[in-house]
């Protein structure tokens, strides 16, 4: 019986040491990240970015569908994130559409991010309030093996929830998933610039 109590004591000790500390995702710093920590969206900033959002300009449209993923494991720690897929149509011609991948986006989403930008972070936001947070996500252009940075800011247009999206960078080269060659492209399929998305 004494051995059982000792064994239970050891298991409780191990269990307590294995528990993950919960840290506000606003305090996340990759270089100082803690192993097995959970970087949580404590203030639920990510919730306002969830849903289907649509930019239109004549026959050109850019649709993004975003979802909050809770406690995603990175290989070192856990973290809340926004993931999603997108479709871009230019002059009535579909240039890229990753929306059919939405049900499998848990593995390799085309949109992914969890960085909440303060006003002092690039790109600078001159009209942000002091406590306002923008979301920075990465846009993956797999057909071209490129990635770009996408900053999203919550706004309101005619009483409707909207996002001001700013896609920037000429596309960072990534290795093609199916070969060792680098992408021959130097621009994303979706042009860089500012997009105003209305919630659908």
């Amino acid at each position: 019986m004494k051995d059982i109590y000792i064994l239970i004591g050891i298991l409780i000790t191990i269990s307590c040491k294995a528990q993950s500390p919960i840290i506000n995702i606003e305090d996340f710093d990759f270089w100082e990240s803690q192993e097995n920590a959970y970087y949580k969206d404590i203030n639920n900033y990510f919730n306002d970015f969830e849903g289907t959002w649509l930019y239109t300009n004549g026959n050109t449209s850019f649709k993004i569908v975003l979802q909050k993923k809770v406690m995603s494991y990175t290989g070192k720690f856990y973290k809340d994130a926004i993931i999603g897929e997108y479709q871009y149509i230019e002059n009535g011609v579909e240039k890229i559409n990753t929306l059919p991948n939405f049900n499998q986006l848990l593995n390799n989403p085309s949109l992914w991010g969890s960085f909440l930008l303060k006003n002092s972070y690039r790109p600078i936001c001159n009209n942000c309030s002091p406590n306002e947070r923008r979301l920075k996500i990465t846009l993956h252009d797999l057909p071209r093996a490129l990635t770009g940075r996408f900053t999203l800011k919550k706004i309101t247009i005619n009483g409707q929830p909207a996002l001001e999206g700013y896609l920037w960078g000429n596309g960072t080269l990534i290795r093609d998933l199916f070969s060792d060659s680098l992408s021959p492209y130097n621009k994303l399929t979706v042009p860089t610039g500012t997009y105003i998305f209305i919630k659908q």
Side-chain angles (χ1 to χ4, degrees):
M1 191 65 145
K2 183 179 177 183
D3 291 338
I4 292 175
Y5 289 125
I6 292 172
L7 180 60
I8 290 173
I10 291 171
L11 289 175
I12 289 172
T13 303
I14 291 170
S15 174
C16 289
K17 286 186 178 179
Q19 287 181 350
S20 303
I22 297 175
I23 302 169
N24 191 333
I25 199 158
E26 291 185 81
D27 300 325
F28 175 74
D29 181 337
F30 180 79
W31 302 110
E32 296 181 8
S33 57
Q34 297 180 36
E35 195 166 344
N36 292 321
Y38 174 25
Y39 294 92
K40 182 177 175 60
D41 179 24
I42 290 172
N43 295 311
N44 294 315
Y45 283 116
F46 293 169
N47 295 13
D48 291 335
F49 294 96
E50 287 190 287
T52 299
W53 305 87
L54 181 65
Y55 160 87
T56 55
N57 182 10
N59 290 331
T60 296
S61 65
F62 186 11
K63 180 189 285 187
I64 59 175
V65 180
L66 303 174
Q67 172 183 315
K68 182 175 178 177
K69 185 177 180 186
V70 177
M71 209 171 180
S72 143
Y73 186 59
T74 67
K76 180 181 178 184
F77 48 80
Y78 299 88
K79 182 177 201 193
D80 290 346
I82 285 287
I83 56 177
E85 300 295 338
Y86 64 98
Q87 176 193 46
Y88 180 70
I89 297 171
E90 186 175 80
N91 296 322
V93 178
E94 185 177 84
K95 298 292 186 175
I96 189 167
N97 184 4
T98 71
L99 294 177
N101 302 334
F102 195 81
N103 291 332
Q104 293 129 16
L105 60 69
L106 295 178
N107 296 326
N108 293 303
S110 299
L111 299 169
W112 188 94
S114 59
F115 292 101
L116 289 165
L117 302 177
K118 298 177 183 177
N119 292 353
S120 58
Y121 294 174
R122 288 185 57 215
I124 301 296
C125 180
N126 294 322
N127 61 351
C128 289
S129 63
N131 294 324
E132 189 171 357
R133 299 291 179 263
R134 292 168 294 147
L135 177 68
K136 184 174 86 172
I137 60 177
T138 299
L139 179 141
H140 296 272
D141 186 339
L142 290 183
R144 295 192 175 191
L146 297 174
T147 63
R149 298 290 176 256
F150 208 12
T151 304
L152 300 173
K153 177 185 180 211
K154 296 177 291 181
I155 59 172
T156 302
I157 302 284
N158 297 326
Q160 288 185 281
L163 294 177
E164 181 181 292
Y166 178 57
L167 181 61
W168 52 287
N170 290 327
T172 304
L173 290 171
I174 56 173
R175 291 277 176 188
D176 188 302
L177 295 177
F178 306 105
S179 74
D180 288 332
S181 63
L182 291 174
S183 173
Y185 298 98
N186 60 9
K187 288 187 179 177
L188 297 165
T189 303
V190 181
T192 57
T194 299
Y195 296 89
I196 302 300
F197 297 92
I198 305 297
K199 192 163 192 179
Q200 303 300 293

